[in-house]
Amino acid sequence: MELTEILNALWRRKLATAAVIVLAAAATVGVKLSSHNVATGAATVQILVDSPTSALANLGQNTTPLTTRASVFAQVMASQAVLQDIAEAAGVPINQITAAGPYSGSGQVLDVVTPSEARGSQLLNEQRRYRLTFVAQQDEPVVTASVQGPSPATAGRLANSIFRGVQQYVTTLQQQTGTPAAQRVTIRQLGAPQTGAVNSGSRLTLAVVAGVGVLLLGLLGLLGLEGLRRRSRELATLERDFTPNFDHVVIDSGVGRSELDPRAPASVSAGVAGTERT
């Protein structure tokens, strides 16, 4: 079909075309609203597991025990008890936060593949607005905390609250157990959180794709129906043009002759008369 024919066909079905456009717009808005939980902000902060006298500044201290302890902290930080302190420090409801840590006893690298059992529980928490990941660095007493949130600002605010929440949890635990000051683990934040935008156009892209898809499918359906309708009209016209007309011929079989209807065309009358003479 030419462009002019397509436009004419859509104009003849303008009500149906308008309905398709409305459905496409509704699909665009619906997908955009349903994808509000897609994280568009990210932040990263590093937490140092240290001693009161700072093992990093003292060559006489062995950092290996602190590296092992950092692996334990990476798992503890993902627990509900620590998340509660982090949520209070950030002013975020705890039911809006989900967290994951390493899944073996030792620290994992950032690109570790998450086991299927752990991934199953993560999928159930995909609707939460904030996602935290704690990973202990290999051969270093450092835990890297990654945050995904609705925006870079909110993700950075939550990342900046991780240190305060973990410190509150550790301090409370040390006070409850009466740990001597010289033997207490010291938590230090290594600089301000690094923030950035991720998936910034994913929500709009999904909405546009959904709207265009519905629009194309709807218009193609209308054009298909219009094509079938036009083909039916053409077939009906062909059948009408090629159907013989015998309404004006009267055959009298009782007397063995044919009589012509005076309303019959001359060609038909002549043909029938010739047949009688024969």
Side-chain angles (χ1 to χ4, degrees):
M1 297 179 66
E2 298 293 337
L3 179 59
T4 304
E5 295 178 356
I6 292 175
L7 294 178
N8 290 334
L10 294 178
W11 178 252
R12 284 192 296 269
R13 295 178 174 268
K14 50 183 174 294
L15 293 180
T17 302
V20 170
I21 295 175
V22 171
L23 288 176
T28 302
V29 175
V31 172
K32 187 175 182 180
L33 293 178
S34 63
S35 61
H36 69 279
N37 61 318
V38 177
T40 58
T44 303
V45 66
Q46 290 186 316
I47 305 298
L48 173 66
V49 180
D50 203 358
S51 63
T53 58
S54 184
L56 294 182
N58 188 349
L59 294 177
Q61 291 191 29
N62 184 10
T63 60
T64 300
L66 294 176
T67 301
T68 303
R69 194 174 299 272
S71 300
V72 178
F73 265 88
Q75 296 192 18
V76 173
M77 287 178 182
S79 66
Q80 193 70 14
V82 179
L83 290 181
Q84 183 65 48
D85 289 334
I86 294 175
E88 292 179 359
V92 175
I94 185 61
N95 59 3
Q96 293 295 322
I97 300 177
T98 180
Y103 300 99
S104 63
S106 59
Q108 299 282 1
V109 296
L110 286 174
D111 294 331
V112 65
V113 178
T114 305
S116 58
E117 295 83 0
R119 183 57 183 160
S121 61
Q122 289 180 6
L123 292 175
L124 296 177
N125 296 321
E126 286 293 325
Q127 299 299 321
R128 300 194 179 187
R129 301 182 65 189
Y130 298 94
R131 304 168 192 172
L132 280 66
T133 304
F134 301 101
V135 177
Q137 301 297 316
Q138 290 183 328
D139 303 326
E140 297 177 2
V142 175
V143 177
T144 299
S146 301
V147 181
Q148 289 186 349
S151 66
T154 56
R157 184 170 64 249
L158 182 58
N160 202 39
S161 302
I162 292 176
F163 166 71
R164 288 180 290 164
V166 175
Q167 187 179 47
Q168 176 62 35
Y169 174 80
V170 173
T171 300
T172 302
L173 186 61
Q174 290 171 342
Q175 292 174 351
Q176 291 175 350
T177 58
T179 305
Q183 299 178 4
R184 291 185 176 184
V185 175
T186 303
I187 304 299
R188 309 181 193 274
Q189 179 173 319
L190 300 180
Q194 302 296 315
T195 62
V198 294
N199 299 328
S200 57
S202 61
R203 193 178 347 183
L204 180 60
T205 300
L206 289 174
V208 171
V209 169
V212 172
V214 172
L215 181 63
L216 289 178
L217 290 176
L219 295 181
L220 289 175
L222 291 179
L223 293 176
L225 292 175
E226 185 65 21
L228 291 176
R229 183 181 178 182
R230 185 176 64 177
R231 183 174 178 83
S232 299
R233 289 199 304 265
E234 292 175 353
L235 291 176
T237 303
L238 290 175
E239 291 178 357
R240 185 176 62 252
D241 293 341
F242 288 96
T243 300
N245 187 359
F246 295 104
D247 294 340
H248 303 294
V249 179
V250 179
I251 305 298
D252 187 358
S253 59
V255 297
R257 61 186 181 87
S258 300
E259 295 181 357
L260 300 182
D261 190 334
R263 295 172 300 171
S267 58
V268 176
S269 301
V272 175
T275 303
E276 290 181 349
R277 287 196 297 272
T278 302

